[in-house]
Amino acid sequence: MSKLANILKMVILLKCRGKMKIRDLAQELEINERMIRKYKDDLEQAGIYLSSTSGINGGYFIENDTSLLSFGVDKEEYKALVMAENELKDNGFIFMKEYNSALDKIAAAMEEKELDKPTTMIISSKPNVDLKSERKKYLDIQTSIVTKNKIKMSYFSLGSGVKERIVSPYSVFRYNGSWYFIGYCDLRNEIREFKISRIKEYEILQEKFERLKTFNLNNYIKSGIGIMCDDEEFKLKIKIKYPMSIKIAERIWIKNQKISYNEDNSIIFEAVTSGMEDIKNWVLGMGINAEVLEPKKLRDLIAEEINNMKNLYK
């Protein structure tokens, strides 16, 4: 690993874990303690200062948050950040406190003291979770990704309930307002995705892992409506009636989507995708406004679901 990569990794560790002893930093970075002291000097030359305390509980830590970049923000950019603040808040963003703090600092640094905040209204649901707990899980998982430590966890899945798993975390991502991470699951012997809010208990293990060289996040999360895209790709063709056709045409749902317009203002939506279960739920959400033309398997799945719903409401 390069010197720059080690220094950045050292900053990430201190920001995520807080105070750390020199020997622990050296062990994580797989270098000697002398280099840790050298990295501290290098950071201070760049204006990033690490504090330290001595004694049995001593170590290096970042007392004041520091930025690697300094840049100006104009009034319109500030308004965009405020609008993002509203959306993040409504979606249960786990770093809302830090985001608001940064926003306040930007506002204080701007020349115009009176900044009108745009008024927006977002009607949506938000995750019903303990944000403080979710934040800690997120930071611990991110740290494990950097340090390549396995995670032992009790995880609840919709299919099999609560099971103990040992996972090598690869990447964290956000989908539909919730945080997920992707990693190699020892229980299933394959790469899986895990919703962070469904982790009941967890422990960061000392055991290290090596990330599969063949893993690529973009390839894993294929072009699809949802994230459960681990089945084979198929050709999708849907006829969507007006006015739902207008709403669908206004967004990019799948990267390779193709939309053809009919004289009655309906559209033909076509794409090559995967994740049939997610596509099924997406189509059902459009009700009588959408008809699957291809593939037949998806059409049959939707017909079966409709029959089950019909029996439920007898």
Side-chain angles (χ1 to χ4, degrees):
M1 189 177 291
S2 69
K3 177 181 177 181
L4 176 59
N6 271 334
I7 290 176
L8 290 174
K9 185 175 178 180
M10 178 172 159
V11 172
I12 291 171
L13 285 169
L14 291 172
K15 287 179 72 66
C16 291
R17 294 190 181 182
K19 187 185 298 180
M20 291 185 68
K21 295 183 180 298
I22 294 176
R23 68 168 180 268
D24 293 334
L25 285 168
Q27 182 178 353
E28 292 290 354
L29 298 178
E30 299 179 349
I31 57 176
N32 59 52
E33 295 182 14
R34 181 180 62 83
M35 289 304 299
I36 296 296
R37 296 185 178 91
K38 177 67 169 58
Y39 290 165
K40 179 177 181 291
D41 293 338
D42 291 339
L43 284 168
E44 290 179 351
Q45 290 180 24
I48 301 173
Y49 296 93
L50 304 184
S51 300
S52 62
T53 56
S54 58
I56 190 170
N57 295 318
Y60 286 164
F61 61 96
I62 300 177
E63 185 172 12
N64 297 314
D65 195 14
T66 56
S67 300
L68 298 179
L69 298 174
S70 177
F71 52 90
V73 176
D74 62 30
K75 188 174 181 179
E76 293 305 312
E77 290 170 333
Y78 173 76
K79 286 183 177 180
L81 290 171
V82 172
M83 293 179 71
E85 173 193 16
N86 294 331
E87 186 164 352
L88 290 171
K89 184 177 180 180
D90 283 354
N91 279 284
F93 186 51
I94 58 177
F95 292 101
M96 204 65 239
K97 181 180 178 181
E98 290 80 0
Y99 185 91
N100 285 331
S101 176
L103 206 57
D104 289 341
K105 290 176 183 177
I106 291 172
M110 294 179 70
E111 293 183 2
E112 298 182 55
K113 298 301 180 182
E114 296 296 327
L115 291 170
D116 296 327
K117 288 192 174 184
T119 301
T120 60
M121 179 179 291
I122 300 173
I123 302 174
S124 64
S125 63
K126 60 182 179 181
N128 184 20
V129 297
D130 181 347
L131 295 183
K132 184 177 180 180
S133 173
E134 292 302 288
R135 184 181 187 277
K136 186 177 187 308
K137 291 179 193 175
Y138 173 92
L139 290 174
D140 285 341
I141 292 169
Q142 285 283 30
T143 301
S144 294
I145 291 171
V146 173
T147 61
K148 296 184 178 180
N149 286 85
K150 289 188 175 184
I151 298 175
K152 180 181 179 181
M153 64 182 186
S154 294
Y155 182 79
F156 171 78
S157 71
L158 298 178
S160 56
V162 178
K163 286 187 179 293
E164 186 176 281
R165 301 169 186 258
I166 295 178
V167 181
S168 303
Y170 287 177
S171 183
V172 176
F173 67 97
R174 188 172 172 84
Y175 172 73
N176 273 358
S178 297
W179 286 101
Y180 294 78
F181 80 92
I182 292 174
Y184 187 87
C185 177
D186 289 359
L187 178 65
R188 302 299 184 189
N189 291 319
E190 62 182 359
I191 296 174
R192 303 289 288 263
E193 62 276 335
F194 302 93
K195 194 171 187 177
I196 291 179
S197 63
R198 291 179 183 163
I199 299 174
K200 303 303 179 183
E201 296 178 351
Y202 69 98
E203 174 188 357
I204 309 300
L205 302 178
Q206 293 298 317
E207 184 181 356
K208 300 287 186 176
F209 69 88
E210 287 296 327
R211 178 168 163 166
L212 292 176
K213 294 180 180 179
T214 55
F215 175 77
N216 181 282
L217 181 61
N218 291 329
N219 290 339
Y220 183 83
I221 304 177
K222 299 176 184 177
S223 298
I225 296 295
I227 63 170
M228 305 297 290
C229 300
D230 53 356
D231 54 4
E232 294 184 0
E233 290 187 341
F234 57 90
K235 182 180 178 182
L236 176 67
K237 189 174 183 180
I238 310 171
K239 182 177 181 180
I240 303 172
K241 298 178 183 178
Y242 178 86
M244 181 62 71
S245 58
I246 302 298
K247 295 181 179 180
I248 297 301
E250 287 175 341
R251 298 179 64 87
I252 296 175
W253 301 90
I254 303 172
K255 290 181 180 179
N256 60 43
Q257 71 183 41
K258 177 183 176 183
I259 295 176
S260 304
Y261 294 86
N262 300 322
E263 291 184 0
D264 60 355
N265 290 324
S266 66
I267 62 172
I268 301 297
F269 181 97
E270 297 179 86
V272 176
T273 185
S274 58
M276 192 165 290
E277 184 67 21
D278 285 314
I279 298 292
K280 182 193 78 173
N281 293 332
W282 180 58
V283 173
L284 285 169
M286 290 185 269
I288 62 172
N289 294 298
E291 178 188 1
V292 172
L293 304 178
E294 296 180 26
K296 184 179 183 301
K297 180 180 178 180
L298 177 59
R299 188 179 175 93
D300 292 342
L301 284 173
I302 290 175
E304 181 182 358
E305 188 79 9
I306 292 171
N307 283 330
N308 291 336
M309 292 175 65
K310 184 178 178 181
N311 292 331
L312 182 65
Y313 287 95
K314 280 185 176 180

